[in-house]
Each structure stands twice: as structure tokens, then as C-alpha cells.
């Protein structure tokens, strides 16, 4: 909650962002900004367009209209790896780790998204390039694994990790890319209360490192505790923004949630 004055610099600036899937307007003329040091939350009922917003920011989908500026550069519709090199990293709503690779190898894959990094294939085949890249990055990867609390499990196969730790591993892989902005899509989904506590503590420590965060989350207690600023979507359009305490009292927000059966 600290370090989020309105005076800080805009890291991400989304203007008029629009995405249609056939006749459906999944994201509708959205304006949104994340400032340096902020933890922002993107909330809204199921199907309101939250994941699509992340997919547009990270270049997974091309937008129909609008601009995405990241520390002053236009990044809309660049390929995902270019956007990642610029400093935007993400995790996914459905976990995406390689279960038959070790924790270390999974984390190292974050480097594959960086310049001259290693690919999934090179990792799997243990090529010379993979071994050289591994040697060069070992300290860095170990440092991140230590930071997220997974260093003592670095040689475990990812499939042997409890689910909560697999989600943390995804965050580690995103951090390896050295982001200025981290986008998290429902990182607490499927976690027990102890794991959620650890996750929230980690998100705060990531923020303390100066990384701005845009978090999709449907558990209001998490949003209330973490977010400096909240954007609320309904049917792809922003219906409210402000502090959590303010938006949770907003009649339009309450109507949107009541009308869509939660989430
Ligand atoms: P949320 O993350 O808020 O639950 P999504 O962004 O996943 O919502 O989806 C918003 C809307 O866009 C939904 O109606 C969904 O069915 C639709 N949608 C998302 N991705 C696609 C796609 N690739 N093709 C067609 N429709 C999609
Ligand atoms: Mg989603």
C-alpha cells in the first residue's frame, strides 16, 4: 500500500483497448494505467474480459483498437517475446510448467524468453547451448529461486511439487526475465489458505523490489489486502476504478457481481 502516490511515473498505459471475438466485444474501449511501485488489481465477474486484457498487453492476441504504452514505448501488437524483452512478464490462469523438468530447468526457461536464451527443446535435449546457458545463468536462477523460497527444491521434478509451489515456480520463471511489470492471472486459484498467505507475502516482496504488479484476482480479501488501486470490468468495459474500499461500495460493481453469480 505504500509507494503508490499518484505522482509516480506511469509504467503501463492502456488507452481505448478493444478486442472482439466475432460478435462478442471481449474488451471494450478500456483505459487503464499502472504506476511505478503500484500493485493494481483487475477484477470482474467470470467472462468479463480480464484474461483477454492480459493477452492483449502481452501480445498473445492482437487488438482491434487502442494503444498499450509501456514506459513510454508503444508495445501493442508486438510479438510476445519482444514485449517480454521490454520488461513485461506474466503468469497464466492455468498453470504452465513442464512437469518432467526440474524446478531449476523450469525457472531457467524464463531466460529462453530473454535475448539469446534457451528453448524448451534445447533444455529437453540438454544441448551444448543449454549447458553453456545454464552455467552462465546458474547464480541468477538460484538467486530468484532463493527469493521465492524454492532453492532447496531446485533439483526436484516440477510434478513433485505441491500445487501451491508449482504456482510460485511460474512466478519465479516470470521474474527470471527481469521484468519491470509483472502480470499475474489468478495466482491464488487452487491454493489453500496457508499457500495464499505465502503468495501474498511474496507478491509484497516482489513489489518491494520495485516491480509494478497487475493482478487478476477474484478473492476479495486478497484484493483488499494487496491492491493500491482496483479496476473493475464487466462485459469487457471498465465500470469502476479506485481504492478497494471505494469500488466495493460502488452500486455498479455490486450489481455486476450480483447479476453474474459471483467471481
Ligand atoms: P475472464 O478472464 O474475465 O474470466 P476472458 O477474458 O477469459 O474473461 O473472456 C472474456 C470473454 O471473451 C468470454 O466471453 C470468453 O468466452 C471470450 N473469449 C476469450 N478468449 C476467446 C477466444 N480466444 N475466442 C473466442 N472468445 C474468447
Ligand atoms: Mg480469466
Amino acid at each position: 500500500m505504500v509507494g503508490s502516490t499518484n505522482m509516480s511515473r506511469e509504467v503501463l498505459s492502456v488507452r481505448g483497448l478493444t478486442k472482439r471475438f466475432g460478435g462478442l466485444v471481449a474488451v471494450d474501449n478500456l483505459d487503464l494505467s499502472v504506476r511505478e511501485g503500484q500493485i493494481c488489481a483487475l477484477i470482474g465477474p467470470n467472462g468479463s474480459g480480464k484474461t483477454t486484457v492480459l493477452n492483449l498487453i502481452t501480445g498473445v492476441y492482437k487488438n482491434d483498437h487502442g494503444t498499450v504504452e509501456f514506459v513510454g514505448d508503444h508495445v501493442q501488437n508486438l510479438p510476445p517475446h519482444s514485449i517480454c524483452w521490454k520488461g513485461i512478464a506474466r503468469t497464466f490462469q492455468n498453470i504452465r510448467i513442464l512437469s518432467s523438468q526440474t524446478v531449476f530447468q523450469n525457472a531457467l526457461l524464463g531466460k529462453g524468453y530473454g535475448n539469446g536464451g534457451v528453448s524448451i527443446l534445447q533444455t529437453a535435449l540438454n544441448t551444448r547451448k543449454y549447458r553453456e546457458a545454464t552455467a552462465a545463468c546458474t547464480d541468477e536462477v538460484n538467486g530468484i529461486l532463493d527469493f521465492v523460497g524454492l532453492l532447496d527444491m531446485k533439483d526436484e521434478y516440477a510434478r513433485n511439487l505441491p500445487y501451491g509451489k508449482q504456482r510460485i515456480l511460474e512466478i519465479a520463471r516470470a521474474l527470471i526475465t527481469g521484468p519491470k511489470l509483472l502480470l499475474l492471472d489468478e495466482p491464488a486459484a487452487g491454493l489453500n489458505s496457508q499457500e495464499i498467505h505465502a503468495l501474498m507475502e511474496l507478491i509484497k516482496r516482489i513489489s518491494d523490489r520495485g516491480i509494478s504488479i497487475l493482478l487478476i484476482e477474484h478473492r476479495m480479501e486478497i484484493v483488499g489486502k494487496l491492491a493500491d488501486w482496483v479496476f473493475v470490468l464487466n462485459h469487457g468495459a471498465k465500470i469502476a476504478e479506485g481504492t478497494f474500499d471505494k469500488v466495493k461500495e460502488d452500486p455498479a460493481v455490486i450489481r455486476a457481481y450480483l447479476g453474474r453469480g459471483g467471481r
Side-chain angles (χ1 to χ4, degrees), residues 98-253:
L98 299 177
S99 56
S100 58
Q101 300 286 321
T102 66
V103 167
F104 180 89
Q105 287 168 328
N106 269 278
L108 183 68
L109 279 173
K111 277 283 160 203
Y113 245 54
N115 232 338
V118 289
S119 69
I120 291 172
L121 189 64
Q122 286 163 346
T123 308
L125 297 178
N126 195 20
T127 61
R128 199 183 73 188
K129 184 165 182 202
Y130 169 72
R131 288 193 302 274
E132 284 168 0
T134 310
C137 303
T138 298
D139 288 351
E140 201 181 335
V141 173
N142 285 345
I144 296 287
L145 289 175
D146 192 25
F147 176 73
V148 304
L150 289 178
L151 187 58
D152 56 343
M153 293 170 206
K154 75 193 211 58
D155 297 322
E156 275 291 340
Y157 288 115
R159 62 169 173 264
N160 294 336
L161 259 53
Y163 185 74
K165 296 226 183 310
Q166 294 187 16
R167 298 223 72 137
I168 299 282
L169 176 55
E170 268 206 307
I171 295 176
R173 190 177 54 197
L175 290 175
I176 296 283
T177 67
K180 293 191 196 76
L181 173 68
L182 179 63
L183 310 173
L184 300 169
D185 195 349
E186 300 202 17
L191 304 197
N192 64 36
S193 56
Q194 209 178 347
E195 290 169 332
I196 288 176
H197 186 80
L199 173 75
M200 286 172 54
E201 191 259 345
L202 175 61
I203 291 173
K204 281 188 191 146
R205 286 195 296 120
I206 293 170
S207 170
D208 289 345
R209 283 189 155 195
I211 298 170
S212 305
I213 293 171
L214 179 62
L215 165 78
I216 295 178
E217 188 45 65
H218 67 269
R219 293 188 201 222
M220 291 306 149
E221 69 277 15
I222 298 179
V223 177
K225 284 200 181 120
L226 286 181
D228 300 304
W229 199 253
V230 180
F231 303 95
V232 190
L233 286 188
N234 193 30
H235 297 297
K238 185 174 70 182
I239 56 167
E241 71 173 284
T243 60
F244 178 69
D245 287 340
K246 187 176 151 227
V247 299
K248 75 171 191 224
E249 307 292 347
D250 188 314
V253 175

Side-chain angles (χ1 to χ4, degrees), residues 50-51 93 185-186:
K50 305 179 296 295
T51 296
Q93 184 165 1
D185 195 349
E186 300 202 17

Side-chain angles (χ1 to χ4, degrees), residues 29-78:
N29 199 24
L30 177 70
D31 291 347
L32 168 159
S33 48
V34 179
R35 292 182 179 275
E36 203 158 46
Q38 270 189 328
I39 302 179
C40 293
L42 183 58
I43 68 170
N46 208 8
S48 58
K50 305 179 296 295
T51 296
T52 305
V53 171
L54 255 54
N55 284 333
L56 292 169
I57 294 171
T58 54
V60 173
Y61 294 150
K62 294 217 181 313
N63 66 19
D64 292 311
H65 280 293
T67 57
V68 179
E69 255 183 78
F70 177 63
V71 286
D73 282 349
H74 281 275
V75 299
Q76 71 270 7
N77 299 337
L78 290 180

